[in-house]
Each structure stands twice: as C-alpha cells, then as structure tokens.
Amino acid sequence: MSNEITQVKGCEFTTDELQRFHHYYKYDWAAAGLVSAPVSKRIQHFVETVDPGIDSNRLQEWLHTMGIVDESEKSEQARLYERFEHFDFAAAVGFNQMLADVYATDDVSKHGVGERMDQAKAQYYSDNIEPLVYSEYREYKEVNAPKPVCPYQDLWDPKGADKESADTNKFANVRTIDIAKLLDPDNVDVLTIGAINLFIDAAKTAYDQKYFAVAVVNSRCNGPEPMFLPALSSTGDCPATLKAAMRLQIELRNLNKTKPLVFFANGVVDTSTLGILMSTVDIVTSEMFCVSIGSVSQSSQKFPLSALYDWAHLSNHQAKVSKGTAEYIMCSPDLVLRSAEWSTLGLGIGFVSHRKFASGMEQILLAASCPPPHTRDALRKACAVESVYSGPSKINVWEQEILKYFAPLADGKTVLELADELRAVKAPWAEKYVVFANAKESNNVAKARVAGMQRVRGMEYSQALALELSAAIAWTAGTTEETKLFSRSIPSLSDLLSENTHATPEPQRNGALQSEVAGECPFAKMYRKNPERFKHVNLGSIADHHSLDL
C-alpha cells in the first residue's frame, strides 16, 4: 500500500498509519476490560498486545488532533464546557419557559435555531448551574474543533450516529403514548378492542394541564419492516372493533383541538388504522414509513373505508393537490404511500431519516415542552429544522393522467366508466388498472371508496363519520355493493356508537357522550333530527363546512 499522503489536504499521517489508528478504534475494549480506562493505558495495552509495530507517540499525536485526550490532560475550561454539553436540559426545571424565544422567528434554518438554542442553554446554565460565557464557549469550540484528517473516521465515529431509541420519559410536559405498550403481548400484530380502549384511556389522561403536547410513538419500531400502527383485528366482533376505533379517532381529534398531537410514524401503518393516524396532520415520518393502500392489498379488502372524509377533503390541506388525486389513490391497485407521497399530499409536517430519528424526536419533543400558546408553533418549527428532503413523489409524475381520467370520478363518473376509458389507452400504466377492474374483490373496493367519497363530500363531519362507520360494518358483514353500502339511511353517530357491543363501555366526561364531536355544527344536529325544517335551505352553500381546522 502506498505511503503517500493522499487522504485529506493538510493530513500529516500516512495511509498505513491511518489504517493502524483505525484498527485501534475498532478494538474491543470491553473484552479487554478497558472501557473506562484512560487513553494512555489503552495505548499501552494496544502496543503491547495487539500492534507492537505502531508508533505510540504518533498515535497519541493523532488522538490529540482529533480532540481525544485523557481526562487529566483537559483544562478546567474544557471540563466546564463538557459539563455544559452533557447537562440534561430536557429535565431542567424552568428551561422550557425559554423555548418560546428560540422559536419566535421566521428563521427556521438548522443553523439559526441551533444557535438560538445554544444561547438559551448557555444563559440557563450560567444563571442556574455555574458561570459560563457563551461568546467564550463559541470561540473555544471553533478553535478546538476536531480536524477531519482521517478518511476512515465515519467508520469508527459516524457523524450524526443516532441512539437506538429516544428517551421520551424526560419530557415532563409531553404526554407520550407508546403503542407498543398498549398491544396485547400475545397478539402484537393487530390492534384489538382491548388495545384500542387502552389507547383511549391514555388519550384522556393527556387533557391534564401539565401536558402541553401529546406524542404517539412505538418503541418496537425496529427491524427491516417495523410496524408503527398495526391492523384492526378482523377476528371476533368486527363491528365492536370498528366502533372502538371510531371512538379513538374522535377522542384524538378532540384532544388535538386542545393541544398539539404529534405522531412519530417510524414504520408501517396499516390501511385499516389510517383514520387514527389522520386524526392530526402533525405527523413525522421516516423512510420506514409506508401505507399499502392499494385495493388489492389484504387489509384494503378487509377494511377498505378508513378515513373516507379525510380523503374526500384532501384538498383542504395546505399542499396543492390536484383534483382527482384522492380518487387516483383510492383506485390504485398496488400503490404504496411512503414519506415522499405523504408530504406531497400535505398530510405530514416533517421527514427525519431513520438513522437520526431518535435524536430528531428528542429535539422536537424539547420544542413541544414550550408552554402554550406557543407550543404548536415551536413544535412545527422544530420539525422543519430536523427535517430533510424525503425524495420525489410517485404521485406528482401522474398529474396529467389524474386530471384527465380520475378527476371526473369526483363529479359522478363511475369506476366502471373509468375502466372502460383505460382499456382504450393502451399504455402499461393503464393495463394494471384494467387487470384490477376485472378482479371482483379489488373492483368492489375501488367502487365502494369512490362512492363513499362522493357521498361524504356533501356532509357535515360527524354525519360523514356515521356514514363511514355504518358502511364499514356492513362491509364486514358481507355487503360490498356500493349502492347498498351508501344508499341506506344513516343513524346519528351517537346512536351508532351507543349501540350495545362487546367493547368496554366508555365513561362520560362533563355529562356529554364521548361519541359527540366537540364543536359539531348545531345546524347539522337539527337537520338529522328533522330534515323537513331545512328543505328550503341551499345545503350546497354549507357543504364545505367541517368542524376541524388543523
């Protein structure tokens, strides 16, 4: 191997030396019983037992260059700054009161927010722990910054390497709901009625004023295909499961009106539980996030009608979504929505890489500790700071086809008419739609979804939920024809959810049924009781009204 200095401009070490130094850092110090040993003792052990030919003086010189020295060699100033950097500000009493100033600006660049955060930390530390001058700290860090002289550095000291999981317990002002702790240990692959009721109970505790925000996480999100929000249980009493899930959705939406509710979706979300996830738009995803929403997926065929109202009103979100996009998504036979598509649709507020998800989550939760009324703004700005580009969306490239073929579905065109049109296109992308149109199960899913969206667009929110629930119950009972699913009269949501089921009855709060949606339009309630009173009213003029403003 060449001894030429070719690694980094200004590097004073040869390739052979750097490889030997790298071997030093790969060494298993735990097996040698030297995990806590000083650097000098480690060098002595390595030279005597591993690589007698290494120059210990050169190795120590390189370690100094990288900013790695024995504790005894550190100056008092260096020790002060290390204590400052290792101080746990998330658990520091009163520090969260300073966060409003950190995020009280339109500058949400990582550098700008990071500098203001460091200034706030330095001020708190100096006022409450020990004297520290921020300007001197910054100057010291610039002068003593490690020099990038080792091309192997990312192998033994990866920049930005994340911890395995976020420590959510230290954020006292954030109520963390861990899905993993709610699931049945013997049945972690599905969301049972018991797990849903535990979820509801956890959400109810979050109304306590000591909590400024609510975070939904899943500590079991690991492995190649981590599951964040599993499928609704399809065994046993399906109607009871669907009603429990609807109660949870309503509870989360009510909670989200009182304080920020953020999902850290670092894994797979099943189609049947999309209504739960879409209870908020404050959703942070990673590259592990995905939803197999295609009509041929097994979950879509079991529970195809989740979150109909949200999909029907997709254009209400901040993202510019072309007309027909929801229909394109609902009709696609094999579409998998990932973070790029989710962001394009305006359904999330940030993308953090899986590798840095735990540390990014902690930074966002620290911002969520900011007292109201600044909490939601601070949380979203922290998401913007931690977020990176999620990649190109698979939906945007089909905008012309969406407008031409799928937008008319929103105005009454049927799925069968769409299939006939696509048969004449003679293009590979259209062929798969023709294939799925010939398959009875996936065809029924698409027809039910499109018909459901057409129906709920003219409804008030609570009434739309009642339609979705009644149709979903009918679907699990074997009714798949869209005319039968959506032509029936719709009972009120309160009546649907108050019917006897095997689910544990939900307690009442302030004398109101849990099934009622806070802020529901009073005219919609009167209309359901006596539609004749409103026969002279142009309902089209209020068709766009819904109770949530997320």
Side-chain angles (χ1 to χ4, degrees), residues 63-351:
L63 292 173
H64 275 275
T65 304
M66 301 302 295
I68 303 169
V69 296
D70 268 332
E71 189 68 26
S72 60
E73 298 180 49
K74 294 178 182 177
S75 66
E76 181 55 40
Q77 187 182 35
R79 291 194 182 96
L80 166 64
Y81 295 149
E82 279 193 1
R83 291 194 297 271
F84 166 64
E85 291 172 350
H86 288 96
F87 184 76
D88 188 359
F89 288 93
V93 178
F95 176 70
N96 62 328
Q97 301 291 330
M98 306 175 70
L99 293 174
D101 292 333
V102 174
Y103 294 100
T105 175
D106 293 332
D107 177 14
V108 292
S109 67
K110 198 171 187 68
H111 173 75
V113 171
E115 186 171 5
R116 291 194 299 275
M117 182 68 78
D118 286 345
Q119 288 175 338
K121 288 180 176 180
Q123 180 182 337
Y124 180 91
Y125 192 86
S126 182
D127 292 344
N128 297 277
I129 310 301
E130 57 183 322
L132 183 145
V133 179
Y134 177 72
S135 59
E136 294 178 359
Y137 166 73
R138 293 295 300 171
E139 182 179 353
Y140 174 87
K141 295 297 289 183
E142 291 174 4
V143 172
N144 294 277
K147 299 176 178 59
V149 298
C150 179
Y152 307 104
Q153 182 176 352
D154 63 322
L155 299 177
W156 58 264
D157 183 24
K159 185 178 181 181
D162 200 7
K163 54 179 72 177
E164 291 185 2
S165 61
D167 181 5
T168 58
N169 295 323
K170 62 184 179 181
F171 302 97
N173 297 114
V174 179
R175 175 63 168 100
T176 302
I177 301 175
D178 188 350
I179 295 173
K181 296 179 180 179
L182 307 177
L183 300 176
D184 184 345
D186 299 324
N187 204 1
V188 297
D189 296 328
V190 295
L191 204 60
T192 62
I193 291 178
I196 295 172
N197 286 335
L198 288 175
F199 205 150
I200 293 172
D201 292 340
K204 289 176 181 176
T205 65
Y207 286 94
D208 193 312
Q209 291 186 353
K210 69 180 179 182
Y211 298 124
F212 302 154
V214 185
V216 179
V217 304
N218 190 329
S219 58
R220 285 189 183 147
C221 274
N222 47 43
E225 293 185 359
M227 177 60 70
F228 175 75
L229 196 54
L232 294 179
S233 175
S234 58
T235 60
D237 192 344
C238 282
T241 303
L242 288 166
K243 291 177 182 181
M246 185 63 75
R247 289 191 186 95
L248 172 58
Q249 181 178 333
I250 292 170
E251 191 68 56
L252 292 176
R253 289 180 185 262
N254 286 337
L255 180 60
N256 192 37
K257 285 183 169 185
T258 66
K259 59 191 64 179
L261 168 66
V262 56
F263 278 76
F264 290 93
N266 188 24
V268 179
V269 175
D270 190 83
T271 306
S272 63
T273 49
L274 269 178
I276 298 171
L277 178 71
M278 296 172 75
S279 299
T280 178
V281 295
D282 291 327
I283 302 170
V284 181
T285 64
S286 76
E287 62 269 33
M288 311 306 291
F289 169 82
C290 71
V291 183
S292 297
I293 201 167
S295 56
V296 299
S297 74
Q298 188 177 17
S299 182
S300 290
Q301 293 184 9
K302 288 181 180 178
F303 300 104
L305 304 175
S306 181
L308 276 181
Y309 184 89
D310 297 286
W311 290 117
H313 294 85
L314 193 60
S315 59
N316 286 11
H317 296 284
Q318 295 180 355
K320 294 181 179 179
V321 179
S322 299
K323 182 179 180 181
T325 300
E327 283 73 14
Y328 167 77
I329 293 171
M330 293 291 102
C331 289
S332 175
D334 55 1
L335 180 64
V336 177
L337 295 176
R338 300 190 182 275
S339 293
E341 291 75 44
W342 202 255
S343 299
T344 298
L345 298 173
L347 299 175
I349 58 170
F351 172 83

Side-chain angles (χ1 to χ4, degrees), residues 237-532:
D237 192 344
C238 282
T241 303
L242 288 166
K243 291 177 182 181
M246 185 63 75
R247 289 191 186 95
L248 172 58
Q249 181 178 333
I250 292 170
E251 191 68 56
L252 292 176
R253 289 180 185 262
N254 286 337
L255 180 60
N256 192 37
K257 285 183 169 185
T258 66
K259 59 191 64 179
L261 168 66
V262 56
F263 278 76
F264 290 93
N266 188 24
V268 179
V269 175
D270 190 83
T271 306
S272 63
T273 49
L274 269 178
I276 298 171
L277 178 71
M278 296 172 75
S279 299
T280 178
V281 295
D282 291 327
I283 302 170
V284 181
T285 64
S286 76
E287 62 269 33
M288 311 306 291
F289 169 82
C290 71
V291 183
S292 297
I293 201 167
S295 56
V296 299
S297 74
Q298 188 177 17
S299 182
S300 290
Q301 293 184 9
K302 288 181 180 178
F303 300 104
L305 304 175
S306 181
L308 276 181
Y309 184 89
D310 297 286
W311 290 117
H313 294 85
L314 193 60
S315 59
N316 286 11
H317 296 284
Q318 295 180 355
K320 294 181 179 179
V321 179
S322 299
K323 182 179 180 181
T325 300
E327 283 73 14
Y328 167 77
I329 293 171
M330 293 291 102
C331 289
S332 175
D334 55 1
L335 180 64
V336 177
L337 295 176
R338 300 190 182 275
S339 293
E341 291 75 44
W342 202 255
S343 299
T344 298
L345 298 173
L347 299 175
I349 58 170
F351 172 83
V352 180
S353 70
H354 179 69
R355 184 164 168 256
K356 298 183 178 181
F357 204 80
S359 58
M361 184 191 301
E362 289 192 359
Q363 291 300 314
I364 295 169
L365 291 180
L366 179 60
S369 302
C370 179
H374 309 288
T375 314
R376 196 183 299 270
D377 182 58
L379 184 152
R380 289 180 173 177
K381 286 180 177 177
C383 284
V385 171
E386 298 300 320
S387 293
V388 294
Y389 178 54
S390 58
S393 168
K394 294 180 295 186
I395 294 178
N396 289 348
V397 296
W398 299 106
E399 185 174 9
Q400 291 184 354
E401 289 80 3
I402 289 173
L403 290 172
K404 182 175 181 179
Y405 297 104
F406 294 90
L409 290 173
D411 299 323
K413 186 171 78 171
T414 67
V415 172
L416 292 178
E417 290 171 337
L418 168 66
D420 290 338
E421 287 184 6
L422 295 182
R423 285 189 181 94
V425 172
K426 304 296 183 183
W429 72 267
E431 289 294 332
K432 63 181 181 181
Y433 283 92
V434 175
V435 172
F436 109 87
N438 294 331
K440 182 179 179 181
E441 291 81 5
S442 56
N443 187 285
N444 286 339
V445 169
K447 288 192 292 186
R449 285 173 166 178
V450 171
M453 288 192 295
Q454 289 175 349
R455 184 79 186 276
V456 301
R457 281 195 175 99
M459 291 183 171
E460 188 271 336
Y461 175 69
S462 185
Q463 191 180 20
L465 288 187
L467 174 68
E468 177 184 322
L469 179 57
S470 63
I473 292 173
W475 180 278
T476 60
T479 301
T480 57
E481 296 179 30
E482 73 276 15
T483 53
K484 295 181 179 179
L485 287 171
F486 301 109
S487 62
R488 63 183 67 198
S489 59
I490 310 168
S492 71
L493 189 59
S494 298
D495 292 340
L496 271 173
L497 294 179
S498 63
E499 291 176 4
N500 291 330
T501 69
H502 296 300
T504 303
E506 297 302 323
Q508 296 183 5
R509 183 172 61 247
N510 298 329
L513 281 174
Q514 292 300 302
S515 57
E516 293 294 340
V517 178
E520 183 182 9
C521 175
F523 294 102
K525 294 180 182 178
M526 289 188 286
Y527 176 77
R528 285 200 301 273
K529 292 180 180 179
N530 187 5
E532 288 298 312

